[in-house]
Amino acid sequence: AKDAFSTAFALLPASYAGRADVRLKIHMAATMAGMAFTQAGLGMCHAMSHALGGMFHVPHGRLNAILLPSVIGCNAYGAAERYAQIARAAGLGGSADTVAVRNLKNALIRLRKELGLPDTLAKAGVEPRLVWRNMGEIAKAALADPCCATNPVRVEDFMVRQVLEEVTGRV
């Protein structure tokens, strides 16, 4: 998983720009990531992407890009060491785990911006009032998703709501 993330993180901008010379490495990273999550599972980010994508018809990858930094922040209290390992493997450093996690979140935000991806649900075409109107249903669907079972910390309703507040721009 660490190697897959490091490779994808380093080469995604070049791949996104159409550079053919990095395609094989990106495909290998995607394959390694698939093998990793087959063994370890996914987590809250994917569960929320499933719930939101089903309701608002936004592509899964776009939703993951919007949600991931907030989900990392939400999970960090119980998974900081693992996130720090990923950050360090990708060259994002951090002398303390909390610094490495912050660096990871900020690097993902910069990558999202570099790729021209939206940073909020509103910028992805989802009206915040619709998210708030359907908050209970979204949270219920996310919590029922099997991906939550393999989140690094136990997912609770308030966590889903906290992430939704961040990605709708309310916080």
Side-chain angles (χ1 to χ4, degrees), residues 8-139:
F9 180 77
L11 298 177
L12 199 55
S15 177
Y16 196 74
R19 280 191 33 205
D21 62 313
V22 299
R23 282 192 193 139
L24 178 60
K25 289 180 181 177
I26 287 289
H27 288 294
M28 295 292 284
T31 300
M32 289 190 309
M35 292 167 62
F37 74 67
T38 296
Q39 295 301 311
L42 292 168
M44 182 168 71
C45 186
H46 283 271
M48 291 182 68
S49 290
H50 296 153
L52 290 163
M55 184 173 286
F56 300 113
H57 310 289
V58 176
H60 185 70
R62 184 169 296 244
L63 287 166
N64 284 331
I66 293 167
L67 295 167
L68 188 57
S70 297
V71 169
I72 288 172
C74 195
N75 283 334
Y77 78 91
E81 184 179 347
R82 287 192 262 177
Y83 285 133
Q85 289 174 358
I86 290 170
R88 290 182 184 116
L92 302 171
S95 55
D97 287 353
T98 53
V99 174
V101 172
R102 184 193 67 217
N103 292 348
L104 176 62
K105 282 181 57 180
N106 289 337
L108 290 169
I109 290 166
R110 284 191 306 272
L111 178 63
R112 182 176 62 198
K113 186 175 183 174
E114 182 179 350
L115 298 178
L117 296 170
D119 60 351
T120 65
L121 291 173
K123 290 179 184 173
V126 179
E127 292 185 42
R129 67 180 174 78
L130 295 177
V131 174
W132 294 110
R133 183 180 301 152
N134 294 288
M135 178 75 72
E137 187 178 339
I138 296 166

Side-chain angles (χ1 to χ4, degrees), residues 130-156:
L130 295 177
V131 174
W132 294 110
R133 183 180 301 152
N134 294 288
M135 178 75 72
E137 187 178 339
I138 296 166
K140 184 177 179 181
L143 290 167
D145 192 294
C147 290
C148 278
T150 54
N151 196 61
V153 298
R154 185 173 177 267
V155 181
E156 298 185 44

